[in-house]
Each structure stands twice: as C-alpha cells, then as structure tokens.
Amino acid sequence: MKFFHLSDLHIGLRLMNRDLKEDQEYILGQIVELAEKEVPDAVVIAGDIYDKSVPSAEAVEVFDRFIDRLTQSLPETEIMLISGNHDSGARLNCFRSVLSRQRVHMIGLPPQSPDEHMEKVVLTDGYGNVNFYLLPFIKPSMVKMIVGTDERGNNFSYNETLSRMIQREVIDSSQRNVLVSHQFYLPEGKSADSVERMDSEVRTVGNIDQVSTNVLLPFDYAALGHIHKPMKAGSEFYRYCGTPLACSVSEAGQKKGVLMVEMKEKGNISVTNLLLTPLRQVRMIQGTLSEVTAQGCDDYVTAVLTDKVDLDVLDMQDRLRSAFPHLLEIRRENLRKADYNSTFAMEKVMDPLELCCAFLKDVTDEEKAVLQDVINTVQEVKD
C-alpha cells in the first residue's frame, strides 16, 4: 500500500500581502505530477485546505482544479482529506456522502452523536486491509456530547478528549491502521516550548491544545497536520509533513515536500520525502544595502540591512524594489540608538509657566499673571 501524506495547503494565503495564487497552483501542479509518476493508492490531506474558514471563490477554484486533476490522472486513487483549524468543517462536509462514491472522502466534521464513529476508509492490498481513520480538527466543546464532561460539568482537556475519541473506535491491532488528524501532538515528556513553531501557525495561550502522542499508539502510522515545519512526533511513523509551500518568513530555507508512505506487511513501513521546488523561494538576505542589492532575484525576500550609517529612505526602498520585484519587507539592524538618559539630562527643564506660554503662544502679560496664579495655587495644594 502506497499513499501520499500532505497537509496545510492554506489555499488563499497571502504572504505579507503578496498574493500566492500563482505559487500555490504551481506547487499543487508538482504534487499532481509526482502522483502521476508514483501512482499512490491514496492521497491523504491532513487538514487546513484553505487559509480561511470562508475561502474566496478564487481559492475554491484553485482547490477544485487540483482535485479535478488528481481524479482525472488517477481514477483508481482514493483521495482523503479532513478539515483543519483554519477550515470551516461544515463547508468541507458538504456533499460528503456523494463525494465518497467518487473516491473523494472529504470529512469536515467529527462524529456528531454518540452512535456515530470516525469515518473509516478501508483499502486492501496483498497483505490485507489498511484502515484509514479520518479525524477532523476538534475542540473539546465540539464533541462534549460524545466524550462527556468532568464531574463539575466542564469540558475535558484536548488530551483527554482525543484519547476518549480514539478509545471509542474498535481498532483491529492485527491489521494496519492509519490515523489522519490535525492537532498539536507532543511526545511524552517533551515541553511544548521546545517545539519550533512557525510564525504562520495559530497557537493557543498556554499551549492548552497539546495532546500526548501516547494516544496514537494504536496506529501504525499517523498522518498529521497543523505544524508547518516537517517533523516527527516522537516516532518515525508519527509525522507532520509540513506545508508544501512556505507560509511565512520563519520558514525561509526549509525543504518542503510530500511524504510517500509505503506499507507492506504489518510493521514494515518506509517513508520517503519527495521534495518540491517552489516557483519562488522565501529568503532572508542580510548585509549592507550594496551587498544585499547585489543579490537581486525574483524570490520573496526579506532584506535585513546592517548599514551603520543613516540611509536615504526613498533611495533605499527604490534600490531594493528594483533588485527584488517580490520584496516582502525591509529590516534594519545596528542602527545608532539614542542615549535617552543623557539626552534627558542635557535638556533644559522648563518651569511650568514657560511650558504653558510655549504651548499657548502669544500670551499677554495679563494672561501670564493669571497663569502664574493658577500654577501657584496648584503647587500649594500639591505641597
């Protein structure tokens, strides 16, 4: 059994107000080409199809063309996708039963009542069944009617909620089982702060959404989405594939790709990273203005200038925009910083009357006398 694992497409995303439609179509086209070459039995997308819960018509068209190309090129391949925290589960859940008959399993919502279970797609090869459990992004409040609440009527934690959701399923451990999920999974004993997160990711205060990878133990492979940097979640076979395209400057230099998972007999799994080449890289270039502009290119660039002298702002911007048509931002380092303590010490301290006169301007002698009287009264009260 061979399947592609990808996630976090974030179709419709803008990178510092740069429209990425062309870049996203380009990278999705590469994914289709890889699929045509490798002919996987399934393509799994682990959430965050869109960047917004109400995607633009343009974003929907981009995704529609991508799925259409996949189904046209690989009519026997099962396509499975779940909603992420950026998606509208209800919208993705539309036409769920109709699409499943076309080998497209688009699961936007988790089980809604106690008698419902996770969507399970069963594929078969020479070694038997491979069971794909599709679990969209969930918050404890979304499934409290199913998992219950604590003794005080409060929602369970994310960890307890996910644990209970998985324990409800009858998982045959003699078969090969795959979980597709979009949550923040954390290896046992590891601190959430030790996991490198990208600027483009949504984080919760206090990392309350963290879930222990212990809940994944019933599965042979976990196709995870949510973390934008490719990484393992405590196991070779519990994986975040990362975004196929950089979504922020913090992802500059990362090698993006699609994970190709091959499962033979139970316990025999291999994972290959099929690298993707974007239309434009996201880069951070540092140096003096002359050094930076000498590296002009068509990539998305954050320019970090280290000049220690003042620069003409308009000239600097013109030169950088000429060198980098897709310039994202300009940062400055090593600027001379004002010594405010010495500045304040050198400044003449104006007395209250001088300050009032400077503010009001053209004050007559009579008005000065009134002001002085008011100031004296205030000072007496203060003393």
Side-chain angles (χ1 to χ4, degrees):
M1 182 70 59
K2 180 197 294 184
F3 64 91
F4 277 11
H5 168 199
L6 56 147
S7 75
D8 295 271
L9 308 182
H10 286 279
I11 299 173
L13 172 79
R14 297 181 72 86
L15 180 60
M16 290 192 179
N17 215 33
R18 288 283 183 181
D19 187 353
L20 295 183
K21 179 186 174 185
E22 184 183 14
D23 303 82
Q24 291 182 325
E25 287 185 315
Y26 184 85
I27 214 73
L28 293 174
Q30 273 194 46
I31 294 171
V32 173
E33 290 170 5
L34 286 173
E36 290 171 342
K37 178 183 176 182
E38 297 293 342
V39 193
D41 299 290
V43 173
V44 171
I45 309 176
D48 278 355
I49 310 304
Y50 299 110
D51 190 56
K52 299 186 184 308
S53 59
V54 184
S56 66
E58 240 182 7
V60 174
E61 288 171 3
V62 170
F63 182 58
D64 178 65
R65 285 193 290 270
F66 172 56
I67 295 298
D68 183 56
R69 285 190 62 187
L70 276 179
T71 54
Q72 292 287 340
S73 301
L74 305 166
E76 301 302 313
T77 295
E78 301 282 338
I79 299 173
M80 310 175 206
L81 59 98
I82 60 171
S83 62
N85 57 302
H86 278 253
D87 298 311
S88 164
R91 284 182 170 84
L92 280 187
N93 220 52
C94 194
F95 306 120
R96 173 170 166 171
S97 58
V98 175
L99 290 171
S100 65
R101 295 197 290 271
Q102 308 300 318
R103 297 181 183 272
V104 178
H105 308 273
M106 194 150 66
I107 312 304
L109 296 174
Q112 299 294 289
S113 63
D115 59 339
E116 292 183 13
H117 288 268
M118 286 187 212
E119 183 79 8
K120 183 169 78 167
V121 178
V122 181
L123 303 184
T124 305
D125 63 8
Y127 298 99
N129 290 344
V130 178
N131 306 306
F132 290 84
Y133 291 86
L134 311 183
L135 182 61
F137 173 75
I138 58 174
K139 296 179 179 179
S141 59
M142 295 166 62
V143 291
K144 65 180 181 181
M145 296 298 293
I146 297 172
V147 300
T149 55
D150 65 19
E151 63 277 4
R152 291 177 294 182
N154 297 322
N155 294 332
F156 287 116
S157 66
Y158 275 81
N159 187 77
E160 182 66 19
T161 297
L162 267 293
S163 178
R164 288 177 176 242
M165 288 294 293
I166 291 171
Q167 288 171 9
R168 294 176 71 245
E169 305 300 319
V170 180
I171 300 173
D172 186 345
S173 60
S174 68
Q175 297 183 356
R176 293 162 295 169
N177 299 291
V178 176
L179 176 69
V180 184
S181 179
H182 190 97
Q183 306 284 161
F184 179 28
Y185 289 99
L186 194 65
E188 184 73 19
K190 195 167 186 178
S191 164
D193 294 331
S194 67
V195 178
E196 186 180 5
R197 306 291 297 274
M198 301 298 102
D199 294 342
S200 51
E201 296 176 29
V202 174
R203 310 179 206 186
T204 59
V205 177
N207 295 303
I208 62 169
D209 59 338
Q210 66 185 49
V211 180
S212 171
T213 52
N214 285 349
V215 306
L216 303 175
L217 292 176
F219 301 97
D220 299 273
Y221 185 87
L224 306 177
H226 192 47
I227 302 297
H228 288 185
K229 180 180 179 179
M231 61 175 280
K232 301 169 187 175
S235 164
E236 189 73 24
F237 306 119
Y238 301 158
R239 294 271 198 133
Y240 286 103
C241 59
T243 57
L245 192 69
C247 295
S248 64
V249 175
S250 62
E251 294 165 63
Q254 285 183 15
K255 292 183 178 180
K256 302 293 189 177
V258 175
L259 296 182
M260 182 172 70
V261 183
E262 296 181 84
M263 306 182 81
K264 296 182 179 179
E265 69 276 12
K266 178 84 172 179
N268 187 352
I269 307 173
S270 62
V271 182
T272 306
N273 188 12
L274 305 177
L275 294 179
L276 298 169
T277 303
L279 181 62
R280 302 176 186 90
Q281 298 282 355
V282 174
R283 301 176 59 194
M284 184 177 290
I285 301 178
Q286 183 171 354
T288 63
L289 179 59
S290 297
E291 292 169 343
V292 170
T293 53
Q295 302 179 57
C297 62
D298 196 45
D299 292 331
Y300 293 112
V301 170
T302 286
V304 183
L305 302 181
T306 59
D307 299 81
K308 295 184 179 180
V309 296
D310 291 330
L311 298 171
D312 182 286
V313 174
L314 295 179
D315 175 65
M316 170 187 68
Q317 291 177 343
D318 288 343
R319 289 173 63 182
L320 287 170
R321 286 171 181 155
S322 176
F324 307 107
H326 294 94
L327 181 69
L328 295 176
E329 61 175 338
I330 304 169
R331 300 180 186 176
R332 297 295 307 274
E333 285 191 356
N334 298 326
L335 286 174
R336 291 177 298 174
K337 296 181 179 179
D339 184 349
Y340 293 108
N341 290 330
S342 61
T343 301
F344 289 144
M346 292 172 61
E347 285 184 351
K348 177 188 175 183
V349 179
M350 300 176 69
D351 69 42
L353 180 60
E354 289 178 326
L355 191 61
C356 290
C357 293
F359 177 76
L360 294 171
K361 300 183 183 304
D362 302 324
V363 180
T364 65
D365 290 340
E366 185 179 351
E367 290 170 333
K368 283 184 181 179
V370 173
L371 283 172
Q372 186 65 69
D373 184 54
V374 170
I375 291 168
N376 291 338
T377 302
V378 171
Q379 287 178 333
E380 288 173 3
V381 171
K382 181 181 176 183
D383 294 339

